[in-house]
Every structure is written in C-alpha cells, then in structure tokens.
Amino acid sequence: MATETKSAEQAGRAPLRVKVARVVEETADARSFVLDVSDDTLRSELTYRAGQYVTVEIPWESFHIHRCYSFSSAPGVDAQPQFTVKRVAEGRMSNALIDRVAAGDTLTLHPPAGRFTLDRDAGMRPLSLFAGGSGVTPIFSLLKAALRETRRPVRMLYANRDAASTIFAAQLDALAQEHAGRFSLRHHHDDAGGFLTAETLADWLRGAPESGRGSDHYVCGPTPFMDAVEAALQSVSVDDGRVRVERFVSPADPDRRDTEPAQTPTSGTGEVPEDFLVTLGSSIRRVPYSRSLTLLGACKAAGVKAPSSCEDGFCGSCMCQLVEGDVAMLNPLALTDSDVARGRVLACQARPTSGKFLHVDFDAVSFRAGGDGDAMTPPLSASRAALVVSLCVGAALLVRWLHAVI
Ligand SMILES: Cc1cc2nc3c(=O)[nH]c(=O)nc-3n(C[C@H](O)[C@H](O)[C@H](O)COP(=O)(O)OP(=O)(O)OC[C@H]3O[C@@H](n4cnc5c(N)ncnc54)[C@H](O)[C@@H]3O)c2cc1C
Ligand code: FES
C-alpha cells in the first residue's frame, strides 16, 4: 500500500483477488467479512499473525483508495480469516463495504502486514488489552491467540458507547467464562458511566494482581480513548517498550497528499547529506542520499532492506532511532509523544533537514530487538543500561570518526 495515487499493479505489488465467503452482521454499524481461502496458494498468501491487518483496495472516482482492516480472526482458532468494519460517517470505504459487498463478491486485497502482534518470547508476562469501539478487532484476534497459544494471564478493558454497539460482546463474555481465573473482562459503556478517564484507567491498572508495570499492554480505539489509556499507563510508570498502539486512520487523499514536509529544505537549495549511516541487522551501512527521498526511499534505492509496510506513516514498521542528525517527518501518525521525545523516527516519512552527519538505527527499536524481529524487550537493569549506553556512545563516536576520514 505505497500510495493512493497508484493502483496495486502500478505500485508494483501483486494484489490478491479474494472471494467473500460470508458477511456477518455484528452490530447495526459493523460487519465481519469472512474470506474464502479454500485455494491453497491464496491461503498461503493470506498467512497472517493475530493482530495484523489486510489492506482493501477499491476504485474511487479517478483513483484507487486503500484502507487497512485488522483481522478479527486468529490463525489456528478460526478456520477462515475475517476482518471487521465499522461504519464511519461519510467514510468512503467503510460504507462501500458495509452497503455493497455480499457473500460471493470478490475483493482486491494486499497481503497481511503490521506489528501489532504478540511477542513470541513473552513467556508468562501478563497481557493487558485496551479496546475502544471498532478498536476491538485486532484486540479480539490477539486475545484468541493468547488464550489458545499461551498460558499468560489476560485482562481486557473494552469501552463502547452502549451495550448495543459492543462488537463481539457475546463471544467475549463466553471466553471470559470459559477461561475464568485466567482472563478477566471489564466492559465500560459511556451511556451508563460517562467517558473513561485516565484516573479510572489507572485505578484499573493498579487493580491487577501483578503490577500493570509487569505486563505487555496493547491499545486500540478512538483517539481520546487512546490518549486516556496512554496517560494512565504513564501515570503508573509502565515502560514505553511494553506498550503497543494501533491507530485506525485513513491515508491522505491523493489530491491532498503533500510530497514533502514544509520545513524540509530538500526540495530547494538547502544542504542535504551525500549519504547517511544505517544500523540494521547488527551491521552499519552507508546509504547514498538523493535530494527529496525519504530515508526509507534511499535505503530501498541502495538495496538496503529496511523494514516497512504501509509507507504512509501509520503502521510503525519502519520505526528507527535517530542516533544523530536532523530530519523532519511529513505524517508520523504511528509515533506517540514519548516516541518522538525519545528520538524515534519513521523512515518512510523522514527526510534530512540539514547537511549534517546523519545516522539512524533500526536495531535500537525495542519491538524489533528480540530476535524474531517482533519482540518487546524487557527493560534493562540500571547497570546493564549504563554499560549498553556507554558502548553505544563509543560505537557511534567510532562510526562518526570513520565516516569523517573515509
Ligand atoms: C492498521 C489499521 C487497522 C485498521 N483496522 C480497522 C478495523 O479493523 N476496522 C475498522 O472499521 N477500521 C479499521 N481501520 C480504519 C480504516 O482503515 C478506515 O480508516 C476507516 O474504515 C475509514 O475509512 P473510510 O474510507 O470509510 O473513511 P474516509 O473516506 O477515509 O473518511 C474518514 C473521515 O474523513 C472524513 N472525510 C472524508 N473525505 C473528506 C473530505 N473530502 N473532506 C472532509 N472530510 C472528509 C469522513 O467524513 C470521515 O469522517 C484501520 C486502520 C488502520 C491504519
Ligand atoms: S512503513 Fe508504515 S509507518 Fe513507515
């Protein structure tokens, strides 16, 4: 899903043509689309992990629009993959899918992607899941996978406007009964309890048998809900590396899409570096830079396989640490305020804003540092952290010196 201005074919990616086996009415405003993957090739191309999303493409006026929808199914639990769509007022794709797609129709899909997945090395670390409205879709998928594949204790807080708009309510309640003692579920309905506040959420976190700090936290829902959850997690001192968020946003329309951030001088005569350094897969490479490319674009042009998926700033797959240098980002939707404060950047959105030495490190991002490329790493002890920081500073100084003399 590189850009809305190109069709899948023009974008050089093979779209999948997948038949809809069934459409399930979940609530008045939400439908699940169950996919027919009886064909072996198709099934293998649609192999996914719980929590990932699929991208749907439809023609719209003079262009194609692409929207991501998270799987609400889980591999190994549900026989067929399914995604669930909630109607957005005036939204183009959501209304088109809900009103016009029926069993037997064929959809154009792009292969599964996303990093909102369970850490394979989490052991028995407890899970806390926060879902608001349609944000329940990837959370439901993660929950089913965690209950089936692990013995981890799971708590879930699920907020909705009211009982009638609660997607998967009966299935969630049944899971809570089936796994009583291991999975606890709390529903919140705004019509009865008002909007959830950061204080209420922090109280819920403190109520866990293990401190909320020792858990992995997954958050998906409307922006005010996510803001409240993130504030609550901060107030009980949860480590950022233990928090994953999925933001449900639409990419910008092609006719509104800027190509460069306003503050970036790369389109003019401002200085840009001739090259920059990339730490990836435990090695450091020098990547030539051409004016106006994003860091990800430059990596691709140089054959450096930096991680990426949406290329639109919302999936977070290309997140890396800015070790040194100046960059600006166009659309850093996947970054939280604390990511930005820690110097995280999205390679697909970042361009240099000066000719200064530039170095980005993909290995330094915690969710990618755990071996399988998708793990949350436990926080380091203070002494180990000090040692690691000293080694990193030493390595960066050495790299910088080499860059200057070579
Ligand atoms: C990783 C990921 C996973 C997701 N998973 C899910 C999921 O599981 N389920 C789900 O329901 N959604 C999910 N989403 C959200 C989904 O991709 C869409 O963003 C959502 O369905 C809205 O798309 P739309 O085309 O219907 O609305 P859009 O047409 O994109 O409109 C969105 C909003 O913008 C407004 N708007 C549109 N055009 C204009 C205009 N010209 N001027 C002013 N305002 C305008 C609309 O009124 C609407 O409020 C996910 C998003 C991401 C990034
Ligand atoms: S590739 Fe998705 S945010 Fe950069």
Side-chain angles (χ1 to χ4, degrees):
M1 192 189 133
T3 136
E4 276 193 330
T5 55
K6 298 173 181 174
S7 72
E9 293 81 358
Q10 287 168 323
R13 300 191 182 186
L16 310 170
R17 299 282 291 156
V18 187
K19 210 175 237 188
V20 174
R22 243 168 349 114
V23 178
V24 182
E25 181 171 337
E26 304 288 0
T27 65
D29 273 345
R31 302 281 181 279
S32 290
F33 297 86
V34 182
L35 303 175
D36 178 351
V37 288
S38 38
D39 177 85
D40 285 347
T41 312
L42 202 52
R43 187 174 326 115
S44 101
E45 280 173 334
L46 270 175
T47 301
Y48 66 103
R49 289 185 63 190
Q52 287 193 308
Y53 61 84
V54 73
T55 303
V56 183
E57 174 181 335
I58 57 170
W60 190 269
E61 295 173 350
S62 58
F63 46 87
H64 290 243
I65 59 173
H66 298 76
R67 299 286 183 265
C68 305
Y69 292 101
S70 305
F71 289 101
S72 49
S73 53
V77 178
D78 300 292
Q80 291 159 299
Q82 71 170 45
F83 63 88
T84 303
V85 181
K86 184 166 180 184
R87 195 187 291 281
V88 169
E90 312 290 324
R92 286 156 290 175
M93 178 80 79
S94 57
N95 286 284
L97 290 174
I98 288 176
D99 293 335
R100 290 194 243 133
V101 173
D105 288 347
T106 300
L107 294 173
T108 300
L109 304 180
H110 294 259
R115 63 177 186 96
F116 195 65
T117 51
L118 294 174
D119 173 4
R120 290 186 170 118
D121 302 324
M124 283 297 287
R125 228 166 33 230
L127 267 172
S128 75
L129 307 175
F130 298 87
S134 59
V136 71
T137 50
I139 296 284
F140 189 39
S141 174
L142 292 171
L143 170 69
K144 288 188 279 188
L147 292 177
R148 182 192 158 95
E149 292 164 14
T150 77
R151 303 191 58 75
R152 302 170 72 178
V154 190
R155 301 172 81 217
M156 174 169 168
L157 193 147
Y158 183 18
N160 280 283
R161 209 174 44 235
D162 50 34
S165 61
T166 305
I167 307 170
F168 308 130
Q171 293 170 64
L172 284 164
D173 292 341
L175 284 174
Q177 276 198 347
E178 188 188 333
H179 298 273
R182 183 177 159 212
F183 168 43
S184 74
L185 169 67
R186 173 162 155 199
H187 286 286
H188 174 92
H189 297 141
D190 299 339
D191 65 343
F195 290 124
L196 272 173
T197 62
E199 291 70 37
T200 317
L201 288 156
D203 284 345
W204 182 77
L205 278 164
R206 288 192 201 97
E210 303 86 0
S211 157
R213 274 185 282 178
S215 307
D216 289 344
H217 305 269
Y218 289 77
V219 191
C220 187
T223 303
F225 171 81
M226 294 182 67
D227 289 347
V229 174
E230 287 187 72
L233 290 168
Q234 271 175 15
S235 76
V236 298
S237 306
V238 167
D239 188 271
D240 276 344
R242 289 272 171 81
V243 181
R244 287 198 196 185
V245 297
E246 187 78 300
R247 295 182 194 283
F248 279 10
V249 289
S250 294
D253 277 0
D255 53 348
R256 297 185 181 182
R257 183 183 287 270
D258 293 330
T259 52
E260 291 188 27
Q263 68 273 41
T264 304
T266 54
S267 56
T269 53
E271 266 192 79
V272 293
E274 282 177 8
D275 52 34
F276 61 101
L277 297 183
V278 171
T279 301
L280 179 66
S282 306
S283 67
I284 300 176
R285 299 160 220 211
R286 186 196 295 268
V287 172
Y289 183 73
S290 301
R291 187 175 293 280
S292 93
L293 283 180
T294 61
L295 300 187
L296 181 67
C299 285
K300 283 187 165 183
V304 172
K305 291 195 173 115
S308 67
S309 176
C310 72
E311 300 188 18
D312 260 323
F314 56 76
C315 78
S317 302
C318 64
M319 199 188 296
C320 53
Q321 177 69 36
L322 182 64
V323 182
E324 195 165 348
D326 298 324
V327 298
M329 285 176 280
L330 178 64
N331 191 26
L333 284 165
L335 298 181
T336 61
D337 289 348
S338 67
D339 287 330
V340 173
R342 287 191 300 167
R344 301 290 203 230
V345 295
L346 299 177
C348 73
Q349 299 298 308
R351 294 180 176 87
T353 52
S354 78
K356 270 170 65 180
F357 172 80
L358 177 62
H359 179 187
V360 290
D361 183 346
F362 286 90
D363 295 351
V365 176
S366 60
F367 68 80
R368 208 178 289 119
D372 72 347
D374 207 10
M376 296 184 190
T377 46
L380 294 170
S381 70
S383 54
R384 262 186 87 197
L387 178 64
V388 170
V389 167
S390 325
L391 288 172
C392 289
V393 168
L397 287 173
L398 179 64
V399 164
R400 191 175 176 177
W401 177 76
L402 284 171
H403 184 258
V405 297
I406 294 170

